[in-house]
Every structure is written in structure tokens, then in C-alpha cells.
Amino acid sequence: MIGAEYTRMMARYNRWQNSQLAGCFSSLPASELTRERGAFFGSILGTANHLLWGDMMWMGRFDGGDKPAGGIPGSDRLHPDGEGWRVARQSMDARISDWAEGLTDAQLAGDLTWYSGAAGREVTKPLGMLVVHMFNHQTHHRGQIHKMLTEAGAEAPVSDLFFMPEDA
């Protein structure tokens, strides 16, 4: 399905995108970051928090490390401000990159079994598909954030993969 090199590229893309979002967030007043905007996770920060929570959950499954407490309800309240989110996001992006660097094609061809709280049961799926899902989930919610940033009058970041700098 996918190879380890794809995973490393997407980890770089994820880090680059989140770095750009952090810059956008720092240019907005807190009231704009937390303003209810009718999105599934409410606000810009709420959506960014949920995305971070999702990455924490998937990485806990992928690398066996820490997972966030609680479930999807409340995932939008991980960090009350943009700075707290930025620090946690940078740490998570480093974790994703470190994990991706050690990943092999053979591992991606295997399965992952975990207990899904959302499904209420144990689930087994191909690891490659789950990795694609994690990166797809990131893109989905960053698209929502992009829209909300534009509505807030902020300059939304460039998201085209081919614009990613070589050193990102």
C-alpha cells in the first residue's frame, strides 16, 4: 500500500504544516482562536487540539508510547491557548518524525491490533492503511482550520505538498 519513505515524507509535511499553523495562531488574538465557529470541534484551537489528540492516540498505538487521557469528547480542550498547543504540537511532531525514521516497509505491510474505544472492541487492520488514515485525518482537520483562519482574517498557510521546503 505505502512504503516507509512515504511515511517519512508525510511526517515532514505534517511538521511543516503545523509550524505554519503555529505562526498563524501567534498572529491572532486569543479571542479569535477560541471563538465558536460552528465547526465540529467549535473553534480554531478546538480543532487543532482535537487533531493533536488524534495524533497522540494513533502514535500511542503505533509506537507503544503515551496516549491521551479521555476520549473524543473533550479532545478539543487539550490546551487552553495557542502557546500551550504549539509546545505540545512540536513535541508530537518530533515523535511522529522519530517513529517514521525507524519504520520499515515490512512493518507497514503487517497488521496492528488495538482496543478501539470508539468502536468498543478490539480491531485489527493493516498498519499501512492506518498510517494513511492518520495523515489523512491531519489533512482533513487542517483544511477546516485553514477555512476558519481565512474567516478570521488571517493569512492561511500554503498547504500544497510540492511547495514543502527541502529542509522542512
Side-chain angles (χ1 to χ4, degrees), residues 31-68:
S31 61
E32 285 295 320
L33 279 179
T34 58
R35 188 175 130 221
E36 171 58 46
R37 296 180 184 277
F40 194 80
F41 293 100
S43 66
I44 294 169
L45 185 59
T47 303
N49 274 325
H50 168 74
L51 178 50
L52 176 59
W53 178 91
D55 286 351
M56 292 167 66
M57 186 60 74
W58 281 112
M59 286 309 300
R61 294 169 182 152
F62 295 160
D63 70 7
D66 292 337
K67 294 180 192 169

Side-chain angles (χ1 to χ4, degrees), residues 144-161:
Q144 293 173 325
I145 292 168
H146 191 280
K147 176 189 182 292
M148 290 185 280
L149 285 169
T150 302
E151 289 174 346
E155 178 113 4
V158 173
S159 60
D160 296 305
L161 183 60

Side-chain angles (χ1 to χ4, degrees), residues 64-145:
D66 292 337
K67 294 180 192 169
I72 294 172
S75 65
D76 59 339
R77 296 184 297 275
L78 278 180
H79 299 282
D81 59 48
E83 180 59 18
W85 175 85
R86 183 191 64 77
V87 170
R89 184 73 256 183
Q90 284 180 331
S91 177
M92 178 51 53
D93 291 346
R95 181 177 169 187
I96 293 170
S97 292
D98 289 347
W99 165 77
E101 284 301 317
L103 197 61
T104 67
D105 290 343
Q107 288 169 311
L108 285 166
D111 288 339
L112 178 70
T113 300
W114 78 100
Y115 180 83
S116 167
R121 62 182 169 80
E122 191 171 88
V123 178
T124 300
K125 295 289 179 185
L127 179 61
M129 181 193 77
L130 298 172
V131 171
V132 168
H133 170 74
M134 179 183 75
F135 290 125
N136 206 32
H137 182 254
Q138 293 169 349
T139 300
H140 165 71
H141 285 301
R142 277 194 301 258
Q144 293 173 325
I145 292 168

